[in-house]
Amino acid sequence: STNWSHFLAPGHHPRADSLSDRHLALVQFADAAAQHRVVKDVIDRLMQATPIRRGALNALEWTLNEVTDNVLNHAESAEGGYVQMAVLPDRVALCVVDVGQGMLRSLRGAFLHLKDDTEAIEYALRQGVTRDPSIGQGNGLKGSLRLAMGFGGRFEIRSHRGRILWEA
């Protein structure tokens, strides 16, 4: 009912529509137009489903734009990425995933000293770190982490064998 089965084995599981006004089933985005549609859909659902403060809503929209943009610009995945959202009693859960090359491989071309996936995640979270300054300033992940912590949230990044979790 959340579309994970559909995207993992489309021939065996039908596509699910959105679950309700409080949930967005997993949706795919592979280009800027689809990315903008999914971000708009998430924000529209949040405005309808919860009395979220304008500052928190703006922060979530900025974060979702930054992370989905990273997928399109750095993952090098023909499939693009996927987004799922759920409004829970005490929080909003957003999940952005891709099946791309991972942070280590993406960054290693510009930062040869990186040894493993966890180190690549840690490095990517530094202010101003980007593998290609012509397509990014390197502020998205660091800013997203700061916003999540500032709102008392949780922020998790996984990339291949690397995983880092922060909780406010």
Side-chain angles (χ1 to χ4, degrees), residues 2-167:
T2 59
N3 270 342
W4 285 93
S5 296
H6 169 71
F7 284 111
L8 291 170
H12 298 347
H13 302 281
R15 183 183 198 108
D17 289 327
S18 296
L19 298 175
S20 71
D21 61 342
R22 301 182 63 79
H23 302 282
L24 177 66
L26 191 70
V27 292
Q28 185 176 20
F29 65 96
D31 57 34
Q35 173 205 13
H36 292 292
R37 278 192 305 274
V38 73
V39 169
K40 181 184 180 318
D41 199 11
V42 166
I43 297 306
D44 288 348
R45 285 171 193 276
L46 286 173
M47 288 190 315
Q48 293 171 4
T50 183
I52 191 166
R53 295 187 325 265
R54 179 175 290 281
L57 185 66
N58 290 342
L60 278 168
E61 182 175 20
W62 183 85
T63 295
L64 189 55
N65 272 309
E66 287 294 323
V67 175
T68 54
D69 188 65
N70 280 353
V71 169
L72 293 177
N73 286 310
H74 302 292
E76 293 188 6
S77 170
E79 294 179 34
Y82 303 85
V83 174
Q84 183 181 13
M85 185 271 301
V87 177
L88 305 169
D90 61 338
R91 67 189 177 280
V92 172
L94 285 170
C95 179
V96 179
V97 298
D98 67 72
V99 294
Q101 66 179 334
M103 291 179 152
L104 179 60
R105 188 167 173 201
S106 177
L107 288 171
R108 196 173 256 161
F111 305 101
L112 298 174
H113 68 280
L114 296 174
K115 295 182 287 293
D116 61 36
D117 295 310
T118 300
E119 185 178 19
I121 296 169
E122 290 170 346
Y123 201 76
L125 282 157
R126 292 182 183 179
Q127 192 74 30
V129 170
T130 181
R131 72 169 169 90
D132 185 352
S134 70
I135 60 171
Q137 298 175 352
N139 298 322
L141 289 179
K142 180 68 172 184
S144 297
L145 171 61
R146 283 186 178 162
L147 287 169
M149 296 302 94
F151 282 101
R154 175 181 168 177
F155 194 80
E156 181 176 4
I157 297 179
R158 293 177 184 224
S159 183
H160 292 278
R161 292 189 173 106
R163 175 184 179 259
I164 298 181
L165 169 67
W166 297 266
E167 292 187 84

